[in-house]
Amino acid sequence: MKLLASLLTSTAATVRIVVSKNIHITPPSLQSHITLAQSLWKEVIKPDDILIDCTCGNGYDLEFLATCLPQGKILALDKNENAIKNSQKRLLQQNHANDATSIHFFHQSHEKPPYSFDINPNSVRLIVFNLGYLPGPRKHNDFATSGENCGTTIAESTLKALFSWCLPSLMPGGFVSITVYPGHGQGEREHYALQEFARNLSPSTWRAIQHRPINHRPSAPYLLTIYRLFRPSPSIIHGPSFDIKQQKQVRHLEDEVVNNYLEKSYNAALEALRVYDEQQL
């Protein structure tokens, strides 16, 4: 009996140690910007969602999105042809080719919505940007404003994408995830422009959150998220007698207001970017 009790005590102690190790979870506030982004993506993705990777690069983010979405659609954009090929190769290597999730590739800049694919307003759950250098040899024209002359993403293109099609396409509860790299010339411009754009968004429709430790160096990468807030349906606001046609009319008017605020944010960011560029001369 003493031997049995000793074994049980020893086993219990071992189990406690193992369980303690297994349940250790890094709090979100201590995660890297990449791990934090993936945690937030995983929280919101649901079957049959539409997800968009605006900068698919070498396919790392795209691969994670594919593992989170059992069925649905993922649209992957990149203006670099090698990036598209690398992403496709990575998905094949990871056996995502036969998944129920359909992945569509678009060799284009994210400035415009995916060609040949209609994206309805309020239909997309998650849009991902991983900004910074494009795959391939790096160019060093830090303050070029043309995508042809710079090996990085461009502030003007990213702002245009957010204003013209990304945010309008988000469903309530969906969000845009933007990994920002301020550590080089174009990245600093993009950071500055995005800060101004997010700061001017209407707080009644959007929740912009900067995930960035205060005591990190200013040039460290960080995550910026822009959530579309839930809105009560017009039938709740105006009573059950509010018919479907009237509800659609109210929704249309509300969307017009949202788009007007987006345009103000976009123009404010462009003006701030102009001032920033003048200060660099």
Side-chain angles (χ1 to χ4, degrees):
M1 291 296 292
K2 288 183 179 179
L3 178 60
L4 179 60
S6 175
L7 286 171
L8 288 173
T9 303
S10 174
T11 303
T14 303
V15 169
R16 280 197 297 273
I17 292 172
V18 172
V19 170
S20 175
K21 288 181 178 178
N22 287 342
I23 65 173
H24 175 71
I25 299 173
T26 303
S29 58
L30 298 181
Q31 294 175 359
S32 71
H33 60 281
I34 296 173
T35 308
L36 175 60
Q38 292 177 344
S39 298
L40 297 175
W41 302 346
K42 200 170 183 178
E43 284 181 1
V44 302
I45 293 174
K46 295 178 174 58
D48 297 317
D49 272 347
I50 298 175
L51 315 178
I52 302 177
D53 186 346
C54 285
T55 52
C56 68
N58 289 316
Y60 293 102
D61 290 342
L62 186 58
E63 179 192 359
F64 185 85
L65 293 174
T67 62
C68 295
L69 187 65
Q71 64 181 54
K73 290 185 176 66
I74 302 178
L75 314 182
L77 287 66
D78 207 292
K79 68 178 182 179
N80 186 304
E81 188 175 4
N82 288 331
I84 297 290
K85 292 177 180 178
N86 291 343
S87 291
Q88 291 172 329
K89 183 178 178 181
R90 183 168 189 82
L91 292 178
L92 285 172
Q93 290 174 340
Q94 302 301 323
N95 297 319
H96 290 297
N98 299 318
D99 289 353
T101 298
S102 59
I103 302 175
H104 307 263
F105 289 90
F106 301 87
H107 178 206
Q108 64 168 89
S109 167
H110 56 247
E111 183 172 323
K112 296 181 179 179
Y115 62 85
S116 74
F117 194 99
D118 292 330
I119 300 177
N120 296 321
N122 309 322
S123 65
V124 179
R125 178 79 64 185
L126 173 66
I127 300 176
V128 172
F129 287 84
N130 196 330
L131 303 176
Y133 284 101
L134 307 174
R138 293 187 175 183
K139 301 178 183 180
H140 298 286
N141 191 356
D142 276 346
F143 292 98
T145 56
S146 166
E148 300 300 321
N149 299 322
C150 183
T152 72
T153 52
I154 304 297
E156 287 81 357
S157 296
T158 303
L159 288 174
K160 183 71 175 293
L162 291 171
F163 154 66
S164 65
W165 69 274
C166 288
L167 293 188
S169 70
L170 281 180
M171 63 173 60
F175 73 100
V176 175
S177 168
I178 309 171
T179 304
V180 187
Y181 297 86
H184 57 92
Q186 275 295 337
E188 186 178 0
R189 287 184 81 246
E190 215 159 21
H191 152 72
Y192 189 81
L194 288 168
Q195 292 283 311
E196 195 64 25
F197 179 81
R199 188 179 297 115
N200 283 280
L201 289 172
S202 169
S204 63
T205 307
W206 309 101
R207 182 66 45 80
I209 305 172
Q210 180 180 240
H211 308 265
R212 191 179 193 187
I214 294 174
N215 60 338
H216 269 204
R217 66 187 190 281
S219 60
Y222 69 93
L223 178 66
L224 174 67
T225 55
I226 303 175
Y227 286 82
R228 183 162 196 159
L229 301 180
F230 286 96
R231 294 179 298 174
S233 68
S235 60
I236 294 174
I237 299 172
H238 300 280
S241 61
F242 213 59
D243 62 33
I244 294 176
K245 183 178 180 180
Q246 290 172 316
Q247 290 181 29
K248 288 182 178 179
Q249 290 173 341
V250 171
R251 280 285 186 239
H252 178 70
L253 291 173
E254 287 177 342
D255 288 337
E256 281 189 355
V257 172
V258 168
N259 291 335
N260 287 338
Y261 272 105
L262 284 178
E263 187 171 7
K264 290 179 182 178
S265 297
Y266 176 63
N267 290 334
L270 289 181
E271 176 60 19
L273 198 56
R274 183 189 65 79
V275 173
Y276 174 86
D277 287 340
E278 286 182 353
Q279 292 173 348
Q280 306 305 311
L281 297 177

